[in-house]
Amino acid sequence: MKKVLFVCSRNKWRSLTAETIYKNSSDFDVKSAGTENSARVKVNSKLLVWANLIFVMEKHHKEKLIMNFPNETEKANIIVLEIPDNYKFMDKELIEEIQTSVSGYL
């Protein structure tokens, strides 16, 4: 089973929406986290090592992961989705954008 981690800044809207969309899938084990100290679930080395595939919403999230967790991200498969912070949790447009962006990888 593929272990997928979704990352945004505060883990309240984008990555949490992505986790919610895919959490009941029998094909994936899905978690989400945020890069900020104020995140609902803060990203940590255990989560990064756990994941086979890491989706970040924006380029600066990837840069932050690499800077803060150089060992854990050295061989990690990190994909930047380029989804801006313009949405609320479970917005219809956000759901569509996430599904379109990740479908080629999942």
Side-chain angles (χ1 to χ4, degrees), residues 21-22 55 81 83 93-106:
I21 294 169
Y22 295 103
F55 289 108
L81 298 176
I83 297 176
E93 294 84 12
L94 176 58
I95 292 169
E96 288 172 10
E97 196 160 342
I98 290 168
Q99 289 175 326
T100 301
S101 300
V102 304
S103 63
Y105 301 100
L106 299 179

Side-chain angles (χ1 to χ4, degrees), residues 9-25:
S9 297
R10 292 178 310 278
N11 188 225
K12 292 186 175 144
W13 296 338
R14 292 174 290 172
S15 60
L16 186 57
T17 295
E19 179 182 6
T20 303
I21 294 169
Y22 295 103
K23 71 179 177 190
N24 294 321
S25 167

Side-chain angles (χ1 to χ4, degrees), residues 11-55:
N11 188 225
K12 292 186 175 144
W13 296 338
R14 292 174 290 172
S15 60
L16 186 57
T17 295
E19 179 182 6
T20 303
I21 294 169
Y22 295 103
K23 71 179 177 190
N24 294 321
S25 167
S26 56
D27 300 323
F28 316 109
D29 193 357
V30 180
K31 295 183 181 181
S32 66
T35 58
E36 299 298 316
N37 288 331
S38 61
R40 192 184 62 86
V41 173
K42 186 151 173 28
V43 72
N44 57 50
S45 56
K46 187 176 174 190
L47 281 171
L48 294 171
V49 169
W50 167 84
N52 305 118
L53 190 54
I54 301 166
F55 289 108

Side-chain angles (χ1 to χ4, degrees), residues 1-13:
M1 181 176 293
K2 193 171 274 194
K3 297 176 191 156
V4 182
L5 178 64
F6 289 97
V7 177
C8 68
S9 297
R10 292 178 310 278
N11 188 225
K12 292 186 175 144
W13 296 338

